[in-house]
Amino acid sequence: MVTAYIDTPLGTAYIEGDAIGLKTISVLETQEKATNIIPEPLEEAAYQIKEYFEGKRKSFNLSLNPEGTAFQKKVWNALQQIPFGKTLSYLQLSKQLGDVKAIRAVASANGKNPLWIVIPCHRVIGSDGSLTGYAGGLHRKKWLLDHESPVKQQTLF
């Protein structure tokens, strides 16, 4: 398993993986020094994340190898089907997965997503359109949704 740190507009991202696939991508609350030479198994991930933040990439094409339960992996697979620039509520996601009563379990699996941005858990919102919980902080969730929005809000001042 190899690791790297890369700079993003939302802070330092930590990447961990190997030749099989990515295990973890997370945004850190502390500033870490960016890795000078990205290990070969992580080069493509670092490149695609950079393109995403530059607005040049709308989807990721990476080998993933996250650790989780079968249910969590089912939720994470469903999250990857939410298109760039779109959102889905936890209720809609639960219905999609076939059990409206599983909303809390779906929300819990969403919150345990180990692959920040690549598995787009930030695209899941409350049924009323609110920006509910986000492990990376609601300010980051808002930034990511604004970044992906097809309509760019102009400032008045």
Side-chain angles (χ1 to χ4, degrees), residues 24 39 42 50 63 74 86 100 110 114-115 127 130 144 156:
T24 305
L42 305 179
K50 180 178 181 266
S63 295
K74 182 179 175 182
K86 303 289 182 188
V100 70
N110 192 55
L115 292 165
S127 294
S130 63
L144 291 167
L156 296 175

Side-chain angles (χ1 to χ4, degrees), residues 48-62:
Q48 289 188 29
I49 291 167
K50 180 178 181 266
E51 282 188 326
Y52 169 84
F53 281 111
E54 291 173 345
K56 298 176 183 174
R57 176 171 291 277
K58 294 183 178 185
S59 64
F60 294 92
N61 184 18
L62 299 165

Side-chain angles (χ1 to χ4, degrees), residues 5 7 10-14 27-33 140:
Y5 295 94
D7 292 325
L10 296 175
T12 303
Y14 169 79
V27 62
L28 305 177
E29 292 302 322
T30 59
Q31 195 66 29
E32 297 291 331
K33 187 175 185 229
R140 288 189 179 106

Side-chain angles (χ1 to χ4, degrees), residues 4 7 9 13 33 57 70 72 81 89 121 130 138-139 141:
D7 292 325
K33 187 175 185 229
R57 176 171 291 277
Q72 288 170 334
Q81 306 313 308
S89 73
C121 59
S130 63
L138 290 180
H139 67 288
K141 183 172 187 164

